[in-house]
Amino acid sequence: INFWYPGGFEDAEGNRLTALTPLLGESYSASDPSVVYQQIEWAVEYGVDAFSIEWTTPRGEGCCGSMEDTLDDFFLKSPNINKVRWAIFYDFPLRLDQTPGLDIDVMPNIDFDQPDVYDTFVYDFARFAKKYFGNPQYLTIDGRPVIYIWATNSYKGNLAGSIQEARDQVSE
């Protein structure tokens, strides 16, 4: 689920891009509790039992609003959340790009030898562990939490060190 999605099929000027009408109406918000509820119901009805939830910045951080607000305030509070599991889709490039104070060029590579890159990655994993990994609906494999890390093909530098440090902090 991408919580940035405003719904419908309009371009930036509000013009319809298709003659089709989504079942939730011409325009809807992914942060509307009734939309979240319905999406979970449809998923379960069609055999989907887990969601990958995009995460970009912590609540209150970022240039563009945080999807963490919708995750915490609507998705995790949906009355039917017990029907699905979920995992974080960690959009690390957007995390770096949207966080004020971080002057990191994410193109063409994200360099883990830069302290701000390394430290942000480790900080975020410690945050995920504290805030989300204990959630009974959080997706695990063999008791270990699952995270989908986006754009790893563009990572270079001390990624292995940051992953090890993140694991160490999470296990604490």
Side-chain angles (χ1 to χ4, degrees), residues 12-13 18-19 25-27 34 57 87 91 100 124 141 147 156 163-164:
E13 288 78 41
T18 179
E26 285 192 12
S27 187
S34 66
T57 58
D91 196 333
D124 288 345
I141 296 175
I147 292 185
K156 70 177 191 173
I163 288 176
Q164 185 57 56

Side-chain angles (χ1 to χ4, degrees), residues 5-18:
Y5 187 63
F9 292 91
E10 295 84 22
D11 63 17
E13 288 78 41
N15 301 310
R16 297 270 308 148
L17 300 176
T18 179

Side-chain angles (χ1 to χ4, degrees), residues 13 31 34 38 80-81 87 97 100-101 112 114 127 145:
E13 288 78 41
S31 64
S34 66
Q38 185 59 66
N80 59 348
I81 187 66
D97 194 46
F112 279 77
Q114 292 180 297
R127 178 182 182 83

Side-chain angles (χ1 to χ4, degrees), residues 34-98:
S34 66
V35 168
V36 172
Y37 181 88
Q38 185 59 66
Q39 289 176 332
I40 291 171
E41 289 299 309
W42 281 331
V44 171
E45 181 180 343
Y46 289 98
V48 175
D49 66 353
F51 286 90
S52 172
I53 307 291
E54 186 176 15
W55 188 95
T56 56
T57 58
R59 181 183 291 268
E61 287 186 33
C63 66
C64 313
S66 173
M67 289 183 258
E68 186 175 88
D69 298 358
T70 303
L71 170 61
D72 293 350
D73 299 344
F74 302 105
F75 183 76
L76 293 178
K77 291 182 180 175
S78 185
N80 59 348
I81 187 66
N82 64 319
K83 295 182 177 183
V84 293
R85 296 170 297 149
W86 65 281
I88 291 171
F89 165 24
Y90 184 37
D91 196 333
F92 192 53
L94 280 183
R95 165 65 157 129
L96 297 174
D97 194 46
Q98 293 180 352

